[in-house]
Amino acid sequence: MTSVRLERQIRKCVEDLNDLVCGQGLLLTDPSVVSKSMELDRLILRAMYKQKPAPVRRTS
């Protein structure tokens, strides 16, 4: 999965969560909100895993 596609999926998931909670007034404990939140968590973890750590610079 490309980073652009992953970023789009994360944004879409955030929008969906916003709609569920703010638009539809569902509680954070509602099963559909919990499910969407878990989906967002997985996407964020995937994005974090794909990022390479910056090289450590040593100064003398």
Side-chain angles (χ1 to χ4, degrees):
M1 179 180 308
T2 66
S3 354
V4 172
R5 184 171 179 223
L6 188 55
E7 184 178 340
R8 269 192 236 126
Q9 285 185 316
I10 289 172
R11 283 187 181 159
K12 172 79 169 94
C13 203
V14 169
E15 290 170 3
D16 290 348
L17 269 171
N18 186 54
D19 181 57
L20 289 171
V21 176
C22 298
Q24 298 180 32
L26 298 179
L27 297 175
L28 296 177
T29 54
D30 185 276
S32 50
V33 174
V34 171
S35 175
K36 187 56 74 172
S37 180
M38 289 173 60
E39 179 184 343
L40 178 59
D41 289 345
R42 284 190 297 272
L43 290 170
I44 290 170
L45 288 172
R46 189 179 303 161
M48 289 172 59
Y49 179 76
K50 288 185 102 170
Q51 286 191 350
K52 296 178 182 170
V56 176
R57 288 187 175 196
R58 295 180 186 225
T59 55
S60 302

